[in-house]
Amino acid sequence: MDRAEKKEAVATLHDVFDKTSVVVVAKYSGLTVAQLQNLRKQARAAGASVQVAKNRLAKIALEGTSVASIGSLLKGPTLIAYSDDPVAAPKVAAAFAKDFDKFVILGGAMGATALNVEGVKSLATMPSLDELRAKLLGLITAPATKIAQLSTAPAAKLARVFGAYANKDAA
């Protein structure tokens, strides 16, 4: 890597650290290329990204960003998972760590808040932004359907009563 490529890599990483809401750092030594490709595919499907970067360049890129607290985690062969959704990257990383023992989550950051391993795992158990939106929409529409059911219920009860009297008279 020459000097220009390094500057471009640092600028790209700085952009990533500046714009994403959550960053997860993990050790990946011992994983095969196919397993890493599988991780990248799962991350892409969830709306996250996974990147292996040189630690020295990543530390330079961290300067002046809100997630600078992860600099101490960048030792040895590490990768960075990040996403705009605060739950996507931790969820992918935690699920992958369950399947592969050689993938070890070291920690991360959500904005200026540093996260330890337990913090990343607790973020992973939270519902995603889309799931929360769906739940909220369900809660908003539920009262309307209850009102509609209640307003039609008396008429249905009256119809059943009249039907019962009609059947009683016919018998």
Side-chain angles (χ1 to χ4, degrees):
M1 215 182 224
D2 66 347
R3 189 176 282 256
E5 289 173 327
K6 286 180 182 179
K7 282 186 179 181
E8 184 179 327
V10 167
T12 304
L13 281 172
H14 185 77
D15 244 10
V16 164
F17 293 141
D18 225 10
K19 293 180 181 172
T20 58
S21 64
V22 68
V23 178
V24 177
V25 180
K27 282 191 183 277
Y28 68 94
S29 66
L31 293 176
T32 64
V33 173
Q35 290 168 335
L36 281 175
Q37 291 295 353
N38 186 24
L39 172 63
R40 284 188 174 101
K41 188 191 308 184
Q42 290 175 5
R44 206 174 311 115
S49 298
V50 174
Q51 186 173 356
V52 176
K54 288 185 170 269
N55 291 340
R56 183 69 192 131
L57 297 179
K59 286 179 183 178
I60 293 170
L62 280 170
E63 292 174 9
T65 63
S66 61
V67 294
S69 60
I70 66 168
S72 62
L73 302 174
L74 298 172
K75 293 176 184 154
T78 55
L79 64 79
I80 301 163
Y82 54 91
S83 65
D84 290 329
D85 182 1
V87 179
K91 196 171 276 201
V92 168
F96 197 78
K98 282 181 186 175
D99 295 339
F100 298 99
D101 293 338
K102 294 180 180 178
F103 186 80
V104 180
I105 297 172
L106 300 175
M110 187 172 80
T113 307
L115 300 171
N116 59 8
V117 178
E118 294 305 315
V120 172
K121 288 182 180 178
S122 66
L123 263 181
T125 60
M126 293 178 66
S128 70
L129 196 56
D130 290 337
E131 291 170 355
L132 284 174
R133 286 179 181 150
K135 284 182 181 181
L136 183 62
L137 188 61
L139 289 173
I140 290 172
T141 59
T145 55
K146 289 285 186 189
I147 290 172
Q149 288 171 350
L150 289 175
S151 66
T152 58
K157 284 181 183 177
L158 280 176
R160 279 187 292 240
V161 168
F162 290 141
Y165 277 121
N167 289 340
K168 186 177 178 183
D169 289 340

